[in-house]
Amino acid sequence: MADDLGDEWWEHQPAGAASSPEISDGGGGDTEMIQKTVPVPVPSKKTEQPKECFLIQAKEPKKDAIKTRKRRKKKITDILAKSEPKPGLPEDLQKLMKDYYSSSRSVIELEELNLPDSCFLQANDLTHSLSSYLKEICPKWMKLRKNYTEKKSLLMLIICSSAIRALELIRSMTAFRGDSKVMKLFAKHIKVQEQVKLLEKRVVHLGVGTPGRIKELIKQDGLHLNPLKFLVFDWNWRDQKLRRMMDIPEIRKEVFELLEMGVLDLCKSGSLKLGLF
């Protein structure tokens, strides 16, 4: 007998069939439940890699980079500080002149620079003050000073390295100079033109100054050397760097230029005497 159409078809399904969303392809009318299993990933443990140990070698300095320690050159101050001071002699002045002009003068010209021993006064043996030394080389100073009436000239000229040293020398010669007229001959305190006018008006017995200013006065006809009787170099005194006046290249150059402006000729004629204090 045919199926009753009035019956609801889902009522004849086995329990659990209607609730399953998945149906097989109909083999024998039985339905099978198919479950899909999703694999759960298992956390993998990270394998610890063995740590590598590196040995760092110290870098060797390059041969070119190694700086050899240079020897410190000895300065004149180092040498003089360890040596005993020696008084200047006429031979020292003669030798300095020859060394200075050796590259620019012929043999004959160098011989013409030689000065006779008679033109040199007794040198300071480092036991004198300036006053005592001047008294020794010029015992008749008072008589010479009284009879002197020349203008634009000097009886005695003392050459030193600086203005400060010139002031020191003037203060230290009080016992010798008495009431003699003394003039400062350096560039710090007065202009050349003003000094020329003073020399024209006054009678000056003693001059103390630097070779540069004395040269300039001679060039401008403000100072005549012919009446000069004594020329004294402040030879043995040393500054803070232990340099004598002739150790300073600029001063040495100016001194030799001054000597050639008539001093050498006066020395050779016998009218001018040189002293090394």
Side-chain angles (χ1 to χ4, degrees), residues 152-189:
K152 297 176 66 174
S153 62
L154 303 164
L155 262 178
M156 181 181 289
L157 178 59
I158 301 175
I159 298 177
C160 58
S161 58
S162 67
I164 296 174
R165 178 57 179 166
L167 295 175
E168 292 176 358
L169 291 173
I170 291 172
R171 287 193 293 266
S172 66
M173 64 166 63
T174 305
F176 171 76
R177 73 182 190 186
D179 58 352
S180 304
K181 302 297 181 182
V182 181
M183 182 171 282
K184 305 167 188 175
L185 304 176
F186 49 80
K188 295 285 184 179
H189 74 302

PDB file of all heavy atoms in Angstrom, residues 152-189:
ATOM      1  N   LYS A 152     125.768 118.645  19.858  1.00  0.00           N
ATOM      2  CA  LYS A 152     125.448 117.566  18.905  1.00  0.00           C
ATOM      3  C   LYS A 152     126.479 116.431  18.959  1.00  0.00           C
ATOM      4  O   LYS A 152     126.762 115.791  17.956  1.00  0.00           O
ATOM      5  CB  LYS A 152     125.357 118.109  17.479  1.00  0.00           C
ATOM      6  CG  LYS A 152     124.238 119.130  17.279  1.00  0.00           C
ATOM      7  CD  LYS A 152     124.227 119.715  15.879  1.00  0.00           C
ATOM      8  CE  LYS A 152     123.892 118.688  14.839  1.00  0.00           C
ATOM      9  NZ  LYS A 152     123.748 119.267  13.482  1.00  0.00           N
ATOM     10  N   SER A 153     127.030 116.224  20.148  1.00  0.00           N
ATOM     11  CA  SER A 153     128.039 115.173  20.298  1.00  0.00           C
ATOM     12  C   SER A 153     128.097 114.733  21.764  1.00  0.00           C
ATOM     13  O   SER A 153     127.402 115.278  22.624  1.00  0.00           O
ATOM     14  CB  SER A 153     129.405 115.673  19.826  1.00  0.00           C
ATOM     15  OG  SER A 153     129.812 116.777  20.626  1.00  0.00           O
ATOM     16  N   LEU A 154     128.953 113.754  22.030  1.00  0.00           N
ATOM     17  CA  LEU A 154     129.109 113.192  23.368  1.00  0.00           C
ATOM     18  C   LEU A 154     130.578 112.952  23.663  1.00  0.00           C
ATOM     19  O   LEU A 154     131.384 112.788  22.740  1.00  0.00           O
ATOM     20  CB  LEU A 154     128.354 111.861  23.476  1.00  0.00           C
ATOM     21  CG  LEU A 154     126.851 111.853  23.156  1.00  0.00           C
ATOM     22  CD1 LEU A 154     126.375 110.419  22.937  1.00  0.00           C
ATOM     23  CD2 LEU A 154     126.055 112.512  24.258  1.00  0.00           C
ATOM     24  N   LEU A 155     130.900 112.910  24.959  1.00  0.00           N
ATOM     25  CA  LEU A 155     132.242 112.490  25.359  1.00  0.00           C
ATOM     26  C   LEU A 155     132.321 110.977  25.521  1.00  0.00           C
ATOM     27  O   LEU A 155     133.292 110.349  25.155  1.00  0.00           O
ATOM     28  CB  LEU A 155     132.622 113.151  26.688  1.00  0.00           C
ATOM     29  CG  LEU A 155     133.488 114.413  26.644  1.00  0.00           C
ATOM     30  CD1 LEU A 155     133.718 114.933  28.058  1.00  0.00           C
ATOM     31  CD2 LEU A 155     134.818 114.157  25.946  1.00  0.00           C
ATOM     32  N   MET A 156     131.263 110.420  26.107  1.00  0.00           N
ATOM     33  CA  MET A 156     131.218 108.976  26.356  1.00  0.00           C
ATOM     34  C   MET A 156     129.851 108.443  25.943  1.00  0.00           C
ATOM     35  O   MET A 156     128.827 109.055  26.219  1.00  0.00           O
ATOM     36  CB  MET A 156     131.481 108.665  27.832  1.00  0.00           C
ATOM     37  CG  MET A 156     131.466 107.183  28.165  1.00  0.00           C
ATOM     38  SD  MET A 156     131.753 106.829  29.922  1.00  0.00           S
ATOM     39  CE  MET A 156     133.498 107.261  30.049  1.00  0.00           C
ATOM     40  N   LEU A 157     129.858 107.297  25.269  1.00  0.00           N
ATOM     41  CA  LEU A 157     128.632 106.660  24.812  1.00  0.00           C
ATOM     42  C   LEU A 157     128.604 105.214  25.311  1.00  0.00           C
ATOM     43  O   LEU A 157     129.560 104.460  25.112  1.00  0.00           O
ATOM     44  CB  LEU A 157     128.565 106.681  23.286  1.00  0.00           C
ATOM     45  CG  LEU A 157     127.362 106.006  22.622  1.00  0.00           C
ATOM     46  CD1 LEU A 157     126.052 106.631  23.081  1.00  0.00           C
ATOM     47  CD2 LEU A 157     127.495 106.092  21.103  1.00  0.00           C
ATOM     48  N   ILE A 158     127.512 104.847  25.974  1.00  0.00           N
ATOM     49  CA  ILE A 158     127.328 103.479  26.472  1.00  0.00           C
ATOM     50  C   ILE A 158     126.180 102.840  25.691  1.00  0.00           C
ATOM     51  O   ILE A 158     125.073 103.378  25.644  1.00  0.00           O
ATOM     52  CB  ILE A 158     127.031 103.470  27.982  1.00  0.00           C
ATOM     53  CG1 ILE A 158     128.182 104.125  28.745  1.00  0.00           C
ATOM     54  CG2 ILE A 158     126.806 102.040  28.484  1.00  0.00           C
ATOM     55  CD1 ILE A 158     127.933 104.276  30.236  1.00  0.00           C
ATOM     56  N   ILE A 159     126.451 101.701  25.080  1.00  0.00           N
ATOM     57  CA  ILE A 159     125.458 101.012  24.247  1.00  0.00           C
ATOM     58  C   ILE A 159     124.967  99.765  24.966  1.00  0.00           C
ATOM     59  O   ILE A 159     125.766  98.938  25.437  1.00  0.00           O
ATOM     60  CB  ILE A 159     126.058 100.626  22.879  1.00  0.00           C
ATOM     61  CG1 ILE A 159     126.483 101.898  22.130  1.00  0.00           C
ATOM     62  CG2 ILE A 159     125.058  99.839  22.052  1.00  0.00           C
ATOM     63  CD1 ILE A 159     127.152 101.623  20.802  1.00  0.00           C
ATOM     64  N   CYS A 160     123.631  99.622  25.040  1.00  0.00           N
ATOM     65  CA  CYS A 160     123.025  98.458  25.691  1.00  0.00           C
ATOM     66  C   CYS A 160     121.906  97.903  24.806  1.00  0.00           C
ATOM     67  O   CYS A 160     121.659  98.408  23.708  1.00  0.00           O
ATOM     68  CB  CYS A 160     122.515  98.827  27.081  1.00  0.00           C
ATOM     69  SG  CYS A 160     121.296 100.160  27.063  1.00  0.00           S
ATOM     70  N   SER A 161     121.213  96.893  25.307  1.00  0.00           N
ATOM     71  CA  SER A 161     120.258  96.153  24.467  1.00  0.00           C
ATOM     72  C   SER A 161     118.832  96.687  24.496  1.00  0.00           C
ATOM     73  O   SER A 161     118.055  96.416  23.582  1.00  0.00           O
ATOM     74  CB  SER A 161     120.240  94.677  24.877  1.00  0.00           C
ATOM     75  OG  SER A 161     119.891  94.553  26.246  1.00  0.00           O
ATOM     76  N   SER A 162     118.446  97.435  25.535  1.00  0.00           N
ATOM     77  CA  SER A 162     117.048  97.857  25.645  1.00  0.00           C
ATOM     78  C   SER A 162     116.924  99.158  26.429  1.00  0.00           C
ATOM     79  O   SER A 162     117.872  99.589  27.100  1.00  0.00           O
ATOM     80  CB  SER A 162     116.217  96.763  26.333  1.00  0.00           C
ATOM     81  OG  SER A 162     116.622  96.616  27.679  1.00  0.00           O
ATOM     82  N   ALA A 163     115.732  99.746  26.367  1.00  0.00           N
ATOM     83  CA  ALA A 163     115.462 100.984  27.094  1.00  0.00           C
ATOM     84  C   ALA A 163     115.486 100.751  28.608  1.00  0.00           C
ATOM     85  O   ALA A 163     116.001 101.580  29.364  1.00  0.00           O
ATOM     86  CB  ALA A 163     114.107 101.543  26.660  1.00  0.00           C
ATOM     87  N   ILE A 164     114.922  99.621  29.039  1.00  0.00           N
ATOM     88  CA  ILE A 164     114.900  99.316  30.479  1.00  0.00           C
ATOM     89  C   ILE A 164     116.312  99.160  31.019  1.00  0.00           C
ATOM     90  O   ILE A 164     116.639  99.663  32.099  1.00  0.00           O
ATOM     91  CB  ILE A 164     114.080  98.037  30.731  1.00  0.00           C
ATOM     92  CG1 ILE A 164     112.611  98.268  30.343  1.00  0.00           C
ATOM     93  CG2 ILE A 164     114.183  97.596  32.175  1.00  0.00           C
ATOM     94  CD1 ILE A 164     111.747  97.035  30.426  1.00  0.00           C
ATOM     95  N   ARG A 165     117.151  98.500  30.251  1.00  0.00           N
ATOM     96  CA  ARG A 165     118.544  98.322  30.682  1.00  0.00           C
ATOM     97  C   ARG A 165     119.270  99.667  30.700  1.00  0.00           C
ATOM     98  O   ARG A 165     120.112  99.910  31.574  1.00  0.00           O
ATOM     99  CB  ARG A 165     119.244  97.341  29.742  1.00  0.00           C
ATOM    100  CG  ARG A 165     120.720  97.100  30.054  1.00  0.00           C
ATOM    101  CD  ARG A 165     120.934  96.600  31.461  1.00  0.00           C
ATOM    102  NE  ARG A 165     122.346  96.355  31.728  1.00  0.00           N
ATOM    103  CZ  ARG A 165     122.862  96.176  32.945  1.00  0.00           C
ATOM    104  NH1 ARG A 165     122.059  96.194  34.011  1.00  0.00           N
ATOM    105  NH2 ARG A 165     124.146  95.960  33.110  1.00  0.00           N
ATOM    106  N   ALA A 166     118.953 100.550  29.775  1.00  0.00           N
ATOM    107  CA  ALA A 166     119.578 101.871  29.747  1.00  0.00           C
ATOM    108  C   ALA A 166     119.250 102.651  31.024  1.00  0.00           C
ATOM    109  O   ALA A 166     120.123 103.315  31.608  1.00  0.00           O
ATOM    110  CB  ALA A 166     119.105 102.648  28.521  1.00  0.00           C
ATOM    111  N   LEU A 167     118.017 102.580  31.479  1.00  0.00           N
ATOM    112  CA  LEU A 167     117.622 103.264  32.716  1.00  0.00           C
ATOM    113  C   LEU A 167     118.357 102.681  33.918  1.00  0.00           C
ATOM    114  O   LEU A 167     118.762 103.417  34.831  1.00  0.00           O
ATOM    115  CB  LEU A 167     116.116 103.152  32.910  1.00  0.00           C
ATOM    116  CG  LEU A 167     115.243 103.870  31.860  1.00  0.00           C
ATOM    117  CD1 LEU A 167     113.763 103.575  32.106  1.00  0.00           C
ATOM    118  CD2 LEU A 167     115.500 105.369  31.875  1.00  0.00           C
ATOM    119  N   GLU A 168     118.524 101.372  33.929  1.00  0.00           N
ATOM    120  CA  GLU A 168     119.271 100.734  35.022  1.00  0.00           C
ATOM    121  C   GLU A 168     120.714 101.216  35.053  1.00  0.00           C
ATOM    122  O   GLU A 168     121.279 101.482  36.136  1.00  0.00           O
ATOM    123  CB  GLU A 168     119.227  99.218  34.866  1.00  0.00           C
ATOM    124  CG  GLU A 168     117.857  98.608  35.075  1.00  0.00           C
ATOM    125  CD  GLU A 168     117.842  97.112  34.821  1.00  0.00           C
ATOM    126  OE1 GLU A 168     118.908  96.565  34.433  1.00  0.00           O
ATOM    127  OE2 GLU A 168     116.784  96.478  34.997  1.00  0.00           O
ATOM    128  N   LEU A 169     121.322 101.330  33.885  1.00  0.00           N
ATOM    129  CA  LEU A 169     122.724 101.777  33.823  1.00  0.00           C
ATOM    130  C   LEU A 169     122.871 103.230  34.275  1.00  0.00           C
ATOM    131  O   LEU A 169     123.838 103.568  34.960  1.00  0.00           O
ATOM    132  CB  LEU A 169     123.248 101.609  32.392  1.00  0.00           C
ATOM    133  CG  LEU A 169     123.432 100.167  31.902  1.00  0.00           C
ATOM    134  CD1 LEU A 169     123.788 100.141  30.420  1.00  0.00           C
ATOM    135  CD2 LEU A 169     124.516  99.459  32.713  1.00  0.00           C
ATOM    136  N   ILE A 170     121.924 104.056  33.884  1.00  0.00           N
ATOM    137  CA  ILE A 170     121.987 105.475  34.293  1.00  0.00           C
ATOM    138  C   ILE A 170     121.892 105.593  35.815  1.00  0.00           C
ATOM    139  O   ILE A 170     122.620 106.385  36.430  1.00  0.00           O
ATOM    140  CB  ILE A 170     120.864 106.280  33.600  1.00  0.00           C
ATOM    141  CG1 ILE A 170     121.144 106.382  32.100  1.00  0.00           C
ATOM    142  CG2 ILE A 170     120.751 107.684  34.204  1.00  0.00           C
ATOM    143  CD1 ILE A 170     120.016 106.984  31.293  1.00  0.00           C
ATOM    144  N   ARG A 171     121.025 104.824  36.427  1.00  0.00           N
ATOM    145  CA  ARG A 171     120.907 104.858  37.891  1.00  0.00           C
ATOM    146  C   ARG A 171     122.155 104.325  38.580  1.00  0.00           C
ATOM    147  O   ARG A 171     122.505 104.783  39.679  1.00  0.00           O
ATOM    148  CB  ARG A 171     119.684 104.043  38.330  1.00  0.00           C
ATOM    149  CG  ARG A 171     118.349 104.718  38.026  1.00  0.00           C
ATOM    150  CD  ARG A 171     117.216 104.022  38.760  1.00  0.00           C
ATOM    151  NE  ARG A 171     117.000 102.680  38.261  1.00  0.00           N
ATOM    152  CZ  ARG A 171     116.124 102.357  37.314  1.00  0.00           C
ATOM    153  NH1 ARG A 171     115.383 103.313  36.747  1.00  0.00           N
ATOM    154  NH2 ARG A 171     115.970 101.111  36.919  1.00  0.00           N
ATOM    155  N   SER A 172     122.818 103.354  37.951  1.00  0.00           N
ATOM    156  CA  SER A 172     123.974 102.722  38.597  1.00  0.00           C
ATOM    157  C   SER A 172     125.282 103.495  38.421  1.00  0.00           C
ATOM    158  O   SER A 172     126.299 103.103  39.001  1.00  0.00           O
ATOM    159  CB  SER A 172     124.155 101.302  38.055  1.00  0.00           C
ATOM    160  OG  SER A 172     124.505 101.320  36.680  1.00  0.00           O
ATOM    161  N   MET A 173     125.260 104.576  37.627  1.00  0.00           N
ATOM    162  CA  MET A 173     126.502 105.328  37.412  1.00  0.00           C
ATOM    163  C   MET A 173     126.530 106.664  38.168  1.00  0.00           C
ATOM    164  O   MET A 173     127.339 107.528  37.870  1.00  0.00           O
ATOM    165  CB  MET A 173     126.720 105.588  35.914  1.00  0.00           C
ATOM    166  CG  MET A 173     125.655 106.478  35.292  1.00  0.00           C
ATOM    167  SD  MET A 173     126.121 107.114  33.667  1.00  0.00           S
ATOM    168  CE  MET A 173     126.248 105.619  32.725  1.00  0.00           C
ATOM    169  N   THR A 174     125.678 106.794  39.152  1.00  0.00           N
ATOM    170  CA  THR A 174     125.580 108.067  39.889  1.00  0.00           C
ATOM    171  C   THR A 174     126.907 108.473  40.505  1.00  0.00           C
ATOM    172  O   THR A 174     127.298 109.653  40.461  1.00  0.00           O
ATOM    173  CB  THR A 174     124.504 107.947  40.994  1.00  0.00           C
ATOM    174  OG1 THR A 174     123.271 107.525  40.406  1.00  0.00           O
ATOM    175  CG2 THR A 174     124.290 109.286  41.685  1.00  0.00           C
ATOM    176  N   ALA A 175     127.615 107.512  41.064  1.00  0.00           N
ATOM    177  CA  ALA A 175     128.886 107.830  41.727  1.00  0.00           C
ATOM    178  C   ALA A 175     129.935 108.317  40.744  1.00  0.00           C
ATOM    179  O   ALA A 175     130.844 109.075  41.112  1.00  0.00           O
ATOM    180  CB  ALA A 175     129.403 106.600  42.473  1.00  0.00           C
ATOM    181  N   PHE A 176     129.835 107.929  39.502  1.00  0.00           N
ATOM    182  CA  PHE A 176     130.826 108.338  38.496  1.00  0.00           C
ATOM    183  C   PHE A 176     130.462 109.654  37.818  1.00  0.00           C
ATOM    184  O   PHE A 176     131.309 110.533  37.663  1.00  0.00           O
ATOM    185  CB  PHE A 176     130.950 107.252  37.427  1.00  0.00           C
ATOM    186  CG  PHE A 176     131.769 107.662  36.241  1.00  0.00           C
ATOM    187  CD1 PHE A 176     133.157 107.706  36.308  1.00  0.00           C
ATOM    188  CD2 PHE A 176     131.147 108.027  35.051  1.00  0.00           C
ATOM    189  CE1 PHE A 176     133.911 108.095  35.208  1.00  0.00           C
ATOM    190  CE2 PHE A 176     131.897 108.422  33.947  1.00  0.00           C
ATOM    191  CZ  PHE A 176     133.272 108.456  34.026  1.00  0.00           C
ATOM    192  N   ARG A 177     129.220 109.822  37.437  1.00  0.00           N
ATOM    193  CA  ARG A 177     128.847 110.962  36.596  1.00  0.00           C
ATOM    194  C   ARG A 177     128.834 112.288  37.328  1.00  0.00           C
ATOM    195  O   ARG A 177     129.084 113.329  36.717  1.00  0.00           O
ATOM    196  CB  ARG A 177     127.481 110.712  35.961  1.00  0.00           C
ATOM    197  CG  ARG A 177     126.320 110.821  36.928  1.00  0.00           C
ATOM    198  CD  ARG A 177     125.011 110.524  36.266  1.00  0.00           C
ATOM    199  NE  ARG A 177     123.888 110.845  37.135  1.00  0.00           N
ATOM    200  CZ  ARG A 177     122.641 110.575  36.858  1.00  0.00           C
ATOM    201  NH1 ARG A 177     122.357 109.948  35.732  1.00  0.00           N
ATOM    202  NH2 ARG A 177     121.678 110.915  37.698  1.00  0.00           N
ATOM    203  N   GLY A 178     128.525 112.278  38.611  1.00  0.00           N
ATOM    204  CA  GLY A 178     128.467 113.555  39.330  1.00  0.00           C
ATOM    205  C   GLY A 178     127.381 114.450  38.764  1.00  0.00           C
ATOM    206  O   GLY A 178     126.220 114.047  38.633  1.00  0.00           O
ATOM    207  N   ASP A 179     127.777 115.671  38.365  1.00  0.00           N
ATOM    208  CA  ASP A 179     126.818 116.606  37.764  1.00  0.00           C
ATOM    209  C   ASP A 179     126.931 116.656  36.239  1.00  0.00           C
ATOM    210  O   ASP A 179     126.543 117.644  35.608  1.00  0.00           O
ATOM    211  CB  ASP A 179     127.006 118.012  38.347  1.00  0.00           C
ATOM    212  CG  ASP A 179     128.426 118.535  38.135  1.00  0.00           C
ATOM    213  OD1 ASP A 179     129.289 117.745  37.675  1.00  0.00           O
ATOM    214  OD2 ASP A 179     128.676 119.715  38.421  1.00  0.00           O
ATOM    215  N   SER A 180     127.447 115.600  35.655  1.00  0.00           N
ATOM    216  CA  SER A 180     127.543 115.529  34.198  1.00  0.00           C
ATOM    217  C   SER A 180     126.150 115.454  33.568  1.00  0.00           C
ATOM    218  O   SER A 180     125.209 114.919  34.163  1.00  0.00           O
ATOM    219  CB  SER A 180     128.355 114.296  33.761  1.00  0.00           C
ATOM    220  OG  SER A 180     129.634 114.300  34.348  1.00  0.00           O
ATOM    221  N   LYS A 181     126.037 115.993  32.360  1.00  0.00           N
ATOM    222  CA  LYS A 181     124.769 115.953  31.645  1.00  0.00           C
ATOM    223  C   LYS A 181     124.638 114.608  30.926  1.00  0.00           C
ATOM    224  O   LYS A 181     125.493 114.258  30.110  1.00  0.00           O
ATOM    225  CB  LYS A 181     124.683 117.096  30.632  1.00  0.00           C
ATOM    226  CG  LYS A 181     124.827 118.483  31.244  1.00  0.00           C
ATOM    227  CD  LYS A 181     123.697 118.784  32.226  1.00  0.00           C
ATOM    228  CE  LYS A 181     123.855 120.186  32.812  1.00  0.00           C
ATOM    229  NZ  LYS A 181     122.793 120.484  33.802  1.00  0.00           N
ATOM    230  N   VAL A 182     123.562 113.890  31.238  1.00  0.00           N
ATOM    231  CA  VAL A 182     123.334 112.564  30.682  1.00  0.00           C
ATOM    232  C   VAL A 182     122.065 112.587  29.832  1.00  0.00           C
ATOM    233  O   VAL A 182     121.066 113.199  30.216  1.00  0.00           O
ATOM    234  CB  VAL A 182     123.199 111.503  31.795  1.00  0.00           C
ATOM    235  CG1 VAL A 182     122.991 110.114  31.194  1.00  0.00           C
ATOM    236  CG2 VAL A 182     124.422 111.520  32.696  1.00  0.00           C
ATOM    237  N   MET A 183     122.111 111.918  28.664  1.00  0.00           N
ATOM    238  CA  MET A 183     120.934 111.836  27.799  1.00  0.00           C
ATOM    239  C   MET A 183     120.583 110.379  27.526  1.00  0.00           C
ATOM    240  O   MET A 183     121.461 109.553  27.265  1.00  0.00           O
ATOM    241  CB  MET A 183     121.172 112.566  26.475  1.00  0.00           C
ATOM    242  CG  MET A 183     119.960 112.550  25.546  1.00  0.00           C
ATOM    243  SD  MET A 183     120.123 113.625  24.096  1.00  0.00           S
ATOM    244  CE  MET A 183     119.775 115.215  24.834  1.00  0.00           C
ATOM    245  N   LYS A 184     119.274 110.110  27.589  1.00  0.00           N
ATOM    246  CA  LYS A 184     118.765 108.775  27.255  1.00  0.00           C
ATOM    247  C   LYS A 184     118.588 108.690  25.739  1.00  0.00           C
ATOM    248  O   LYS A 184     117.866 109.493  25.157  1.00  0.00           O
ATOM    249  CB  LYS A 184     117.414 108.537  27.939  1.00  0.00           C
ATOM    250  CG  LYS A 184     117.447 108.741  29.444  1.00  0.00           C
ATOM    251  CD  LYS A 184     116.023 108.808  29.992  1.00  0.00           C
ATOM    252  CE  LYS A 184     116.013 109.207  31.440  1.00  0.00           C
ATOM    253  NZ  LYS A 184     114.630 109.403  31.958  1.00  0.00           N
ATOM    254  N   LEU A 185     119.219 107.708  25.145  1.00  0.00           N
ATOM    255  CA  LEU A 185     119.179 107.568  23.686  1.00  0.00           C
ATOM    256  C   LEU A 185     118.475 106.270  23.289  1.00  0.00           C
ATOM    257  O   LEU A 185     119.102 105.309  22.847  1.00  0.00           O
ATOM    258  CB  LEU A 185     120.603 107.614  23.112  1.00  0.00           C
ATOM    259  CG  LEU A 185     121.433 108.853  23.461  1.00  0.00           C
ATOM    260  CD1 LEU A 185     122.852 108.719  22.916  1.00  0.00           C
ATOM    261  CD2 LEU A 185     120.768 110.113  22.931  1.00  0.00           C
ATOM    262  N   PHE A 186     117.163 106.260  23.474  1.00  0.00           N
ATOM    263  CA  PHE A 186     116.364 105.114  23.025  1.00  0.00           C
ATOM    264  C   PHE A 186     115.000 105.620  22.575  1.00  0.00           C
ATOM    265  O   PHE A 186     114.633 106.779  22.811  1.00  0.00           O
ATOM    266  CB  PHE A 186     116.245 104.040  24.111  1.00  0.00           C
ATOM    267  CG  PHE A 186     115.838 104.543  25.460  1.00  0.00           C
ATOM    268  CD1 PHE A 186     114.515 104.812  25.756  1.00  0.00           C
ATOM    269  CD2 PHE A 186     116.794 104.759  26.444  1.00  0.00           C
ATOM    270  CE1 PHE A 186     114.139 105.270  26.998  1.00  0.00           C
ATOM    271  CE2 PHE A 186     116.432 105.222  27.699  1.00  0.00           C
ATOM    272  CZ  PHE A 186     115.093 105.477  27.977  1.00  0.00           C
ATOM    273  N   ALA A 187     114.247 104.740  21.937  1.00  0.00           N
ATOM    274  CA  ALA A 187     113.047 105.166  21.210  1.00  0.00           C
ATOM    275  C   ALA A 187     111.783 105.224  22.053  1.00  0.00           C
ATOM    276  O   ALA A 187     110.761 105.684  21.580  1.00  0.00           O
ATOM    277  CB  ALA A 187     112.813 104.224  20.027  1.00  0.00           C
ATOM    278  N   LYS A 188     111.802 104.781  23.271  1.00  0.00           N
ATOM    279  CA  LYS A 188     110.568 104.630  24.042  1.00  0.00           C
ATOM    280  C   LYS A 188     109.983 105.963  24.524  1.00  0.00           C
ATOM    281  O   LYS A 188     108.774 106.103  24.641  1.00  0.00           O
ATOM    282  CB  LYS A 188     110.830 103.738  25.265  1.00  0.00           C
ATOM    283  CG  LYS A 188     111.189 102.303  24.925  1.00  0.00           C
ATOM    284  CD  LYS A 188     109.975 101.520  24.486  1.00  0.00           C
ATOM    285  CE  LYS A 188     110.320 100.058  24.231  1.00  0.00           C
ATOM    286  NZ  LYS A 188     109.157  99.274  23.827  1.00  0.00           N
ATOM    287  N   HIS A 189     110.820 106.936  24.834  1.00  0.00           N
ATOM    288  CA  HIS A 189     110.321 108.099  25.561  1.00  0.00           C
ATOM    289  C   HIS A 189     110.248 109.393  24.758  1.00  0.00           C
ATOM    290  O   HIS A 189     109.602 110.350  25.190  1.00  0.00           O
ATOM    291  CB  HIS A 189     111.195 108.334  26.797  1.00  0.00           C
ATOM    292  CG  HIS A 189     112.546 108.907  26.478  1.00  0.00           C
ATOM    293  ND1 HIS A 189     113.430 108.281  25.646  1.00  0.00           N
ATOM    294  CD2 HIS A 189     113.146 110.064  26.862  1.00  0.00           C
ATOM    295  CE1 HIS A 189     114.521 109.011  25.548  1.00  0.00           C
ATOM    296  NE2 HIS A 189     114.371 110.090  26.265  1.00  0.00           N
TER     297      HIS A 189
END
